[in-house]
Amino acid sequence: TKTPPASILLKQAAKIAKGSAEPNREKVGSLTPAQIEEIAKIKLEDLNAADLAGATRIIKGTARSMGITVSES
């Protein structure tokens, strides 16, 4: 069976009910790089990525499109 959608995992990690309607203007939460990496590890087998770094970039893009910021520290 497949893993849960990335958006569900991101919402759970950020502790938010839903993503932003306007992600370029309204930010609804933030995650650390470690949290993004954990989600990427869970989703790695389902994503079209060669390695963990590629999967992490995909998850970061999904978070960005939901209005979730990813801190760089």
Side-chain angles (χ1 to χ4, degrees):
T1 62
K2 292 190 125 200
T3 58
S7 60
I8 300 295
L9 296 172
L10 287 165
K11 287 191 296 186
Q12 287 174 348
K15 296 178 177 61
I16 58 174
K18 63 179 189 169
S20 174
E22 296 182 30
N24 56 339
R25 295 186 190 158
E26 177 188 352
K27 302 302 179 189
V28 293
S30 67
L31 294 174
T32 64
Q35 290 174 304
I36 295 290
E37 190 172 315
E38 285 301 314
I39 294 170
K41 286 178 186 175
I42 294 169
K43 292 295 294 176
L44 186 59
E45 62 190 41
D46 293 336
L47 294 174
N48 188 14
D51 57 359
L52 185 59
T56 302
R57 283 194 300 275
I58 292 170
I59 299 298
K60 278 184 182 179
T62 303
R64 201 168 27 253
S65 72
M66 292 175 66
I68 299 172
T69 58
V70 179
S71 62
E72 295 300 320
S73 57

